[in-house]
Amino acid sequence: MKRCSLRVRLLRVLLIPVVLAYVIIGVASYYSSYHEAEEIYDAQLTHFAKVLRALTQDEIEDNAVTERRIVLNEKLELHEYEKNFAYRVWLDNKIILHSSNAEAFGPVSVPNGFLERIIQGERWRFFILREGNVTVEVAERYEIRIDLIHHILEGIFLPQLLILPSLALIIWIGVIQGLRPLDSLSDLIRRRNPDNLETIEAPVVLSEIAPVVDAINELMQRVSEVLDREKQFSNYAAHELRTPLAALKTQLQVALRARDAGQSQAMFREMLPAIDRMQHLVEQLLSFVRVKATYNHQDHVELAGVCREVLKDMAPLAVEGHRDLESDLTAQAVIIGNAEMLSALVRNLVSNAIKYTTEGGHVHVSLQCHGGEVELRVTDDGVGITDKDRCNIFDSFYRVAGTDTEGCGLGLAIVKWVADMHDARIVLSEGMGDKGSCFSIRFKSLSE
């Protein structure tokens, strides 16, 4: 069985979405900041170009243009972003105004609009504005855009990076505290005496764990009932074996003391029926235990085949007792079950029908398929079962009073147990000609 930690699972469920959300927000913020920086700086370049065009308009119209070079002194305390801007103003093909950091730009490469260029290993963003014979060219190092994005993201995410470990610690402590009642329940079950099958009464039970506790309590109740039945079964079995053994011992002692050999042989012969009864009881007990031990092994079973095998084995018993054993097994019925258990069920039903049918009586075994069910019917015209006995005939070691038929009271108990293991229903009704009894076992069919 694979084991996993509930704490680790909860932390994974809680922290992984938080981290993923953090990463997704970071990526989204980066692209959003990048887009906004592009928009802002492009708008700034456009505005800068229009201002330069306006400042040089009067000189151009008055034909008083002289080339001017604006020197950026790196030693002066300029604004940190000022050296990242450069510009040139062209009149026809002649530069009339330019910044000193724009000397390596070369000729204008586009007629109008935005452009990106790599100059001396640095990435620049250009905006070209052409109006007649005047061209204004402004440029900006791309580095300042990246710096702005980084500053924005640092301002957003550095505090969150400090908060994330604190959040993880809070979640961890919350998970530990939340699972404390589960730890208490585990300790309570672990310290419990194995013989104590009473319901679990924990001081605090989480609503999510309550179904598990209820299921454990129901299981313990069922186990207690099973153990009680097994104990009762053992007591009954011991009693049923002890009584005939004591009688046999007494008869054997009397036979040994007898001086007449003929009298001793007669007493020994009287012991044979008692020994047969004990043998039958032991066989039934072993059958009951064997059937219970094999109920987990289930497969597709062709019920008609099982019935034929049982009837073939039971035919000598019917012939010996002068009973007619008939069958109608033409229906092809396949069910999910255990072949050995089903064989025990059919054998006990047929055996009981033969025992409780008088000489010359009839026993009929049939299979019918209808409504998605397979019905096994074992019918006889024997002594039948009274309404009083119908409530108890499936109890272990219960025998119908007033009959001289030998038995130990386990046959129908085995039938009931096997039927329950196969989710089958048992219906008891009148037998042939308003006499005897009819046991109908209804299974779910696979061959609908």
Side-chain angles (χ1 to χ4, degrees):
M1 179 178 63
K2 185 178 179 180
R3 296 183 174 226
C4 61
S5 170
L6 183 58
R7 290 184 179 88
V8 173
R9 183 179 178 84
L10 288 174
L11 285 173
R12 189 185 302 123
V13 169
L14 293 173
L15 286 179
I16 289 180
V18 171
V19 174
L20 287 178
Y22 187 85
V23 172
I24 292 172
I25 291 173
V27 173
S29 299
Y30 177 82
Y31 282 104
S32 176
S33 301
Y34 181 84
H35 176 73
E36 292 301 323
E38 289 281 310
E39 293 289 332
I40 291 172
Y41 280 107
D42 283 350
Q44 183 176 327
L45 287 177
T46 303
H47 179 71
F48 190 16
K50 291 179 178 179
V51 169
L52 284 175
R53 176 69 180 87
L55 291 176
T56 57
Q57 179 66 28
D58 291 340
E59 294 182 4
I60 294 173
E61 290 178 352
D62 296 340
N63 200 19
V65 175
T66 58
E67 180 178 352
R68 284 177 293 174
R69 179 174 178 268
I70 307 299
V71 179
L72 299 180
N73 191 342
E74 300 288 345
K75 296 181 180 180
L76 296 177
E77 293 184 359
L78 303 174
H79 191 277
E80 60 176 322
Y81 286 131
E82 184 176 355
K83 61 184 179 181
N84 293 313
F85 287 93
Y87 52 88
R88 294 187 300 184
V89 180
W90 300 68
L91 179 61
D92 294 326
N93 294 322
K94 180 181 179 182
I95 297 176
I96 61 175
L97 179 65
H98 68 96
S99 60
S100 60
N101 58 347
E103 294 175 349
F105 283 178
V108 181
S109 55
V110 296
N112 217 340
F114 290 97
L115 172 70
E116 291 184 13
R117 293 173 58 190
I118 303 297
I119 299 175
Q120 295 181 347
E122 291 184 333
R123 184 182 177 189
W124 289 79
R125 175 80 167 173
F126 286 82
F127 176 71
I128 312 300
L129 175 64
R130 291 182 184 272
E131 291 184 357
N133 60 346
V134 178
T135 301
V136 179
E137 180 184 15
V138 294
E140 174 188 67
R141 283 191 178 93
Y142 222 94
E143 180 183 354
I144 63 172
R145 302 188 180 205
I146 303 302
D147 288 342
L148 176 63
I149 294 171
H150 288 170
H151 286 315
I152 293 174
L153 294 180
E154 286 174 4
I156 295 174
F157 287 102
L158 281 180
Q160 294 187 18
L161 286 175
L162 298 176
I163 293 174
L164 196 59
S166 303
L167 180 62
L169 179 62
I170 293 172
I171 292 176
W172 171 255
I173 295 174
V175 168
I176 292 177
Q177 293 297 326
L179 295 179
R180 195 172 294 264
L182 184 59
D183 294 333
S184 302
L185 179 62
S186 301
D187 293 337
L188 179 64
I189 296 175
R190 192 178 299 110
R191 294 194 304 267
R192 196 178 184 90
N193 191 308
D195 297 329
N196 185 4
L197 295 178
E198 297 180 358
T199 57
I200 299 173
E201 297 292 342
V204 178
V205 178
L206 302 175
S207 58
E208 292 79 6
I209 305 299
V212 178
V213 176
D214 293 340
I216 293 175
N217 287 335
E218 291 177 5
L219 176 62
M220 295 177 71
Q221 183 178 358
R222 293 198 300 270
V223 170
S224 178
E225 292 173 355
V226 169
L227 291 177
D228 289 342
R229 287 197 299 269
E230 295 294 337
K231 183 178 180 181
Q232 184 182 18
F233 175 81
S234 301
N235 293 335
Y236 281 152
H239 173 74
E240 290 293 326
L241 289 172
R242 187 184 301 115
T243 301
L245 282 174
L248 281 173
K249 181 179 180 180
T250 302
Q251 285 183 291
L252 182 59
Q253 290 173 343
V254 172
L256 290 174
R257 292 193 191 102
R259 296 179 180 179
D260 185 4
Q263 184 181 2
S264 297
Q265 289 182 358
M267 296 184 70
F268 284 135
R269 281 193 295 269
E270 291 177 358
M271 295 180 194
L272 291 177
I275 294 174
D276 291 338
R277 286 194 297 271
M278 287 186 60
Q279 182 182 2
H280 178 68
L281 174 59
V282 171
E283 288 175 354
Q284 286 289 69
L285 288 173
L286 292 176
S287 176
F288 195 45
V289 173
R290 183 172 61 252
V291 166
K292 279 196 170 185
T294 60
Y295 78 93
N296 283 328
H297 305 285
Q298 297 193 350
D299 202 349
H300 290 194
V301 178
E302 208 283 301
L303 196 53
V306 173
C307 293
R308 291 189 186 98
E309 290 295 325
V310 172
L311 293 178
K312 184 170 64 175
D313 295 338
M314 300 299 296
L317 179 62
V319 171
E320 182 181 353
H322 303 287
R323 275 82 165 173
D324 291 334
L325 183 56
E326 303 169 346
S327 65
D328 179 9
L329 304 175
T330 56
Q332 297 298 318
V334 179
I335 66 173
I336 289 292
N338 182 285
E340 186 174 354
M341 293 171 61
L342 293 170
S343 178
L345 178 144
V346 178
R347 181 176 293 105
N348 279 284
L349 285 176
V350 175
S351 175
N352 271 13
I354 293 174
K355 287 179 182 178
Y356 289 95
T357 301
T358 58
E359 187 173 341
H362 298 79
V363 176
H364 188 267
V365 180
S366 66
L367 276 179
Q368 297 178 2
C369 297
H370 48 78
E373 288 186 335
V374 177
E375 182 182 19
L376 168 66
R377 295 170 64 91
V378 179
T379 310
D380 63 70
D381 56 0
V383 297
I385 302 173
T386 64
D387 293 338
K388 177 182 177 181
D389 291 324
R390 289 190 179 192
C391 300
N392 303 309
I393 58 173
F394 295 109
D395 295 340
S396 299
F397 299 103
Y398 181 82
R399 296 186 62 203
V400 176
T403 62
D404 57 357
T405 304
E406 296 181 358
C408 58
L410 280 176
L412 291 181
I414 295 176
V415 169
K416 180 66 166 61
W417 193 84
V418 173
D420 290 343
M421 290 301 100
H422 289 78
D423 295 326
R425 294 179 293 121
I426 302 178
V427 179
L428 178 58
S429 58
E430 298 294 334
M432 303 177 187
D434 296 331
K435 293 195 307 181
S437 58
C438 174
F439 285 87
S440 172
I441 317 296
R442 298 177 181 177
F443 302 90
K444 294 180 180 178
S445 173
L446 287 182
S447 54
E448 300 182 30

